[in-house]
Amino acid sequence: MNLKRPKLPLYVVASILFGLKTYLVYRFMFNIELENVMQEVILFINPFVSAFLILAISVWFKKPSRQMKYIRYSVFITSFIVFANLVFYRQFTDFITIPQLFMGSNMSDLGSSILTLIKPYDLLLFVDAAIIWYLSKKRQDEMVVQYQRSGKVFALSISLLLLAGNFFLAEMERPQLFTRGFDREYLVKNIGLFNYHVYDIVQHSKAETQRVFADGNELVDIMDYINENVKISDEKSEMFGVAEGKNVIWINAESLQTFVINNEVNGEEVTPFLNQLTQDEDTYYFENFYEQTGQGNTSDSEFLIENSLYPLSRGAVFFTHGGNEYHGTPEIIKEEGYTSSVLHANNGSFWNRFQMYDSLGFDLFYDETAYQVTDENSIGWGLKDKPFFEQSIKYLQSMEEPYYAKFITLTNHFPFELDEEDQSIDAYDSNSNTLNNYFPAVRYMDEALEEFFSQLKASGLYEDSIIVIMGDHIGISANHNKAMSMYLDKEEITPYDQVQLQKVPLFIHIPGHGEGEVMSDVAGQIDIKPTMLSLLGIEEDNGVYFGNDLFSDNRKEYIALRNGDFISEKYISTVGICYDRQTGEPVATDDETTSDKGQEENACSLIGDKVQTELQHSDDLIYGDLLRFLDFEKEE
Ligand code: GP9
Ligand code: MN
């Protein structure tokens, strides 16, 4: 055979095409925050580096047809990975993690949601794959390479050098990128989607082995940390025992965010019932309360409130660690005679709820099989909220008192579909259907809640209970920022605004209490367990938790978000910027405290370090299943 020197090796052409496409996707289809030129440069470089790294391997294939096949399939598979991430991103503003891939059962339940996330123009993502496919079949002779060994080693060296260069730039731009790997957007924009996936696989394997090697000694450090930094008050709050012996009716309000409370759309109140509740004399309304969920959405919020531990940074802890030992609220209050139950008219195995509820100590779970669900009374994800509450009253009446009953609503869920007859207010008018439809869907939930309160009163269940309503997580992701800025009448949604949009409402309603008020302290879902136990007058011995009683005067000074961002009374830290919480302006870096680590320190970094330590401790507890080494039996 006559060995011609190819003019245009296919692996080079493919690297350029694929790199360029991936860059365009990063830049224009994902919503990646770029703060400076350096980040722009890194984002531009990394797709080509990854593409070359993957495709240059092809030169090691001797047989031309194998070489072509490798290139063909690589480009196709990697294109599919980009596509899958894009679809996922449109829903969650996040990138896929390994644990998520094993949650297929949840994915299939997404049904109608998924279809709305795929766009016809997504086909363009495969254009390069099609071109490469064609060239690899028709132009094989011109484009195949047959290097000597030295040539192969050279190609490999070039790809590794490029990778090292990319990592070097990334590390310069974001020191400790890999050790602080909570923020996936940072990883992707610095090292690219594919290297991020490799990193995620390594992290996953490390976490999986952690349980096997754990022996309980890890708890010493963690308990020291908690005693010093979390349990900072010895005093019980004034509210201790206020709801002793009462039933707790908990309502997880699906996707309810604070920005709709006391706000209007098209000149009408969005949530008239909840607005009035903010002023109610029996209600404490927390206006600066943040959701702290990760990829597990509703289930993460449940995890937070029952355990006062953080959900995981990757995957849903309900799925990955449903079999762990926990010491959650249901288990603790059982010792005081409480019965605990969950009422949720969805498939019970969604989010692995059967297993996790068992681990948490819930006694009963009324899932969709406990409800009459028909075509008429359901929409989108299932039973509508109004019939859901209505059909639940009989279950409340049959529960042994005192009880803790957790309701999880469903109608106000993406994509916020509503039947005509349930729509009391007009949709908003912007380029985002999601945001437009959100308002009538929220109004529907508001009405459902109002009806539920009436039903509780009518059935005599109201007086002996306290009723808590909490938004579980955001409903409108950063993908809708353009429409959101229009609604909020802002020029743009800054990273600061983005954190502020993570506020969800919390109402603690105590019938007959008469001393309710609007609470403005910074608070979060991590605080719920200690707060509820305190209200019920229950003290937890040797508790392992990271939040504080919301009514205590002496509380931890910050709320950590799952990606390492945080909110303190003074500051908001996000995307590496320290903002003044009141003004929303970045806080000037204090030059005198610039450390020799080469990393600029600012007012936020002290708290930032604590936040990282705290999240790490919480992760270690879960990955190591460390609570199994503790004895929670009450000493008599
Ligand atoms: C599903 C419901 C909604 O059972 O909890 O789930 P989400 O997608 O919000 O986590
Ligand atoms: Mn939810």
Side-chain angles (χ1 to χ4, degrees):
M1 194 169 70
N2 182 8
L3 275 186
K4 281 186 294 182
R5 179 170 275 271
K7 291 205 183 72
L8 258 187
L10 186 61
Y11 78 97
V12 175
V13 174
S15 299
I16 293 172
L17 280 182
F18 183 73
L20 193 65
K21 175 192 72 185
T22 315
Y23 171 71
L24 293 174
V25 174
Y26 285 168
R27 196 69 184 77
F28 301 108
M29 295 174 93
F30 289 115
N31 189 358
I32 292 181
E33 201 81 41
L34 294 171
E35 291 129 37
N36 53 44
V37 184
M38 181 66 153
Q39 293 192 353
E40 290 265 6
V41 173
I42 297 177
L43 189 79
F44 180 73
I45 294 175
N46 81 51
F48 295 96
V49 175
S50 305
F52 194 74
L53 191 70
I54 296 168
L55 293 164
I57 292 176
S58 67
V59 305
W60 293 82
F61 288 95
K62 265 212 186 101
K63 232 172 130 190
S65 62
R66 290 236 171 105
Q67 189 179 105
M68 293 292 112
K69 202 170 175 183
Y70 173 82
I71 296 176
R72 216 162 39 229
Y73 280 101
S74 300
V75 175
F76 187 77
I77 293 168
T78 42
S79 295
F80 186 79
I81 294 175
V82 174
F83 167 70
N85 272 285
L86 189 63
V87 173
F88 186 82
Y89 191 89
R90 287 186 182 132
Q91 168 80 318
F92 301 108
T93 329
D94 201 349
F95 301 92
I96 298 175
T97 60
I98 294 295
Q100 231 133 11
L101 291 181
F102 297 110
M103 300 181 346
S105 56
N106 262 16
M107 295 294 169
S108 58
D109 266 9
L110 286 174
S112 69
S113 311
I114 277 227
L115 284 180
T116 62
L117 298 172
I118 299 176
K119 315 272 179 218
Y121 58 78
D122 290 346
L123 261 184
L124 293 175
L125 290 178
F126 294 90
V127 167
D128 59 333
I131 297 175
I132 301 299
W133 202 282
Y134 172 82
L135 293 176
S136 72
K137 294 267 187 198
K138 302 283 178 203
R139 299 283 170 86
Q140 174 174 323
D141 291 346
E142 301 154 50
M143 305 191 88
V144 80
V145 293
Q146 296 209 308
Y147 294 151
Q148 304 289 348
R149 195 178 168 76
S150 59
K152 293 175 185 167
V153 172
F154 183 70
L156 180 71
S157 314
I158 293 282
S159 58
L160 292 179
L161 259 174
L162 285 173
L163 184 70
N166 182 177
F167 281 13
F168 179 73
L169 287 181
E171 186 64 27
M172 253 172 50
E173 176 17 59
R174 177 73 164 171
Q176 293 172 294
L177 176 72
F178 294 104
T179 39
R180 299 177 167 199
F182 300 140
D183 190 338
R184 278 175 288 277
E185 183 176 316
Y186 254 103
L187 281 167
V188 171
K189 85 176 160 195
N190 280 297
I191 61 169
L193 193 57
F194 304 101
N195 290 326
Y196 151 70
H197 280 306
V198 174
Y199 172 83
D200 184 54
I201 291 170
V202 173
Q203 288 297 98
H204 183 67
S205 326
K206 263 171 65 181
E208 286 296 285
T209 46
Q210 210 165 325
R211 182 178 198 281
V212 181
F213 291 105
D215 57 13
N217 285 330
E218 301 88 340
L219 278 166
V220 178
D221 270 0
I222 299 177
M223 287 317 292
D224 281 353
Y225 175 87
I226 290 178
N227 289 330
E228 246 169 65
N229 299 286
V230 183
K231 298 179 177 174
I232 44 184
S233 173
D234 297 330
E235 313 242 319
K236 293 178 184 138
S237 77
E238 273 177 24
M239 295 287 283
F240 185 86
V242 160
E244 193 172 335
K246 295 213 178 193
N247 300 320
V248 177
I249 297 177
W250 178 278
I251 303 162
N252 229 56
E254 177 59 47
S255 302
L256 183 61
Q257 289 181 240
T258 299
F259 77 87
V260 292
I261 306 292
N262 291 322
N263 213 342
E264 294 185 346
V265 68
N266 309 321
E268 292 199 66
E269 276 184 288
V270 187
T271 56
F273 173 67
L274 291 177
N275 294 351
Q276 164 245 305
L277 209 56
T278 62
Q279 301 302 322
D280 179 278
E281 57 173 15
D282 290 340
T283 305
Y284 291 92
Y285 168 60
F286 295 80
E287 61 177 2
N288 287 314
F289 183 84
Y290 293 82
E291 63 107 331
Q292 298 165 284
T293 63
Q295 293 186 318
N297 301 341
T298 307
S299 70
D300 274 359
S301 79
E302 294 186 66
F303 186 80
L304 272 150
I305 65 164
E306 307 302 357
N307 298 301
S308 189
L309 300 175
Y310 295 95
L312 297 176
S313 65
R314 306 159 45 260
V317 58
F318 262 45
F319 259 100
T320 56
H321 295 81
N324 271 18
E325 192 73 43
Y326 295 103
H327 197 232
T329 303
E331 198 175 309
I332 298 168
I333 63 180
K334 192 187 294 226
E335 287 167 28
E336 312 294 325
Y338 273 81
T339 316
S340 301
S341 59
V342 180
L343 301 94
H344 180 45
N346 191 23
N347 178 351
S349 61
F350 199 82
W351 288 131
N352 192 29
R353 282 190 167 104
F354 286 128
Q355 187 190 23
M356 187 53 118
Y357 286 167
D358 202 39
S359 300
L360 291 174
F362 279 104
D363 300 299
L364 299 160
F365 178 18
Y366 300 89
D367 71 352
E368 78 184 338
T369 58
Y371 293 87
Q372 244 134 32
V373 188
T374 62
D375 281 350
E376 285 71 46
N377 71 9
S378 58
I379 181 106
W381 282 57
L383 186 61
K384 298 178 191 176
D385 292 345
K386 288 182 187 177
F388 164 60
F389 283 127
E390 205 177 295
Q391 292 186 32
S392 298
I393 293 287
K394 60 175 179 293
Y395 295 127
L396 280 183
Q397 284 169 325
S398 71
M399 276 174 209
E400 204 176 307
E401 300 194 66
Y403 56 75
Y404 162 38
K406 178 162 78 179
F407 289 77
I408 303 175
T409 68
L410 204 51
T411 310
N412 188 46
H413 193 288
F414 176 85
F416 308 111
E417 290 170 81
L418 220 50
D419 283 327
E420 189 81 35
E421 77 227 33
D422 296 319
Q423 197 159 330
S424 308
I425 53 172
D426 288 336
Y428 184 56
D429 185 14
S430 73
N431 71 347
S432 157
N433 276 333
T434 304
L435 182 65
N436 297 350
N437 296 337
Y438 182 66
F439 297 99
V442 169
R443 167 59 83 87
Y444 174 82
M445 174 153 64
D446 186 72
E447 291 168 2
L449 289 168
E450 184 170 20
E451 284 180 17
F452 185 45
F453 266 61
S454 308
Q455 287 152 358
L456 289 175
K457 287 179 183 162
S459 50
L461 295 164
Y462 177 77
E463 275 78 21
D464 282 336
S465 310
I466 65 167
I467 303 158
V468 186
I469 305 172
M470 181 194 81
D472 60 353
H473 51 76
I474 60 162
I476 307 296
S477 71
N479 271 335
H480 309 278
N481 273 354
K482 206 159 164 219
M484 185 62 104
S485 61
M486 179 173 144
Y487 174 71
L488 296 175
D489 203 13
K490 286 178 182 266
E491 230 161 75
E492 56 162 351
I493 301 293
T494 63
Y496 167 88
D497 297 324
Q498 201 72 63
V499 172
Q500 292 297 51
L501 282 168
Q502 233 173 295
K503 284 185 200 172
V504 294
L506 170 71
F507 299 86
I508 300 182
H509 180 78
I510 310 172
H513 180 63
E515 290 171 30
E517 52 182 301
V518 176
M519 309 284 279
S520 301
D521 284 359
V522 170
Q525 292 170 328
I526 198 83
D527 297 321
I528 294 294
K529 176 183 169 185
T531 306
M532 294 314 291
L533 290 180
S534 158
L535 284 172
L536 297 181
I538 298 170
E539 278 180 87
E540 189 191 1
D541 301 330
N542 313 319
V544 184
Y545 52 82
F546 292 100
N548 295 117
D549 176 358
L550 288 172
F551 295 103
S552 163
D553 294 330
N554 206 357
R555 300 168 17 82
K556 234 173 56 184
E557 56 184 332
Y558 53 86
I559 285 298
L561 302 185
R562 188 50 262 199
N563 62 2
D565 290 353
F566 67 82
I567 304 99
S568 74
E569 286 301 327
K570 276 195 176 151
Y571 307 114
I572 286 189
S573 167
T574 180
V575 297
I577 305 175
C578 186
Y579 290 95
D580 182 305
R581 184 170 77 95
Q582 299 302 341
T583 65
E585 295 299 322
V587 178
T589 305
D590 182 355
D591 285 337
E592 282 173 26
T593 60
T594 302
S595 75
D596 48 18
K597 278 182 288 177
Q599 192 187 352
E600 287 178 341
E601 288 202 350
N602 54 36
C604 283
S605 41
L606 268 182
I607 303 180
D609 287 346
K610 267 195 191 169
V611 164
Q612 298 293 335
T613 311
E614 187 160 313
L615 289 168
Q616 191 61 55
H617 281 328
S618 178
D619 286 353
D620 288 344
L621 277 166
I622 297 165
Y623 287 131
D625 192 5
L626 299 183
L627 297 185
R628 70 193 146 130
F629 298 112
L630 286 179
D631 182 11
F632 289 110
E633 290 292 302
K634 265 209 163 153
E635 287 150 31
E636 296 297 323

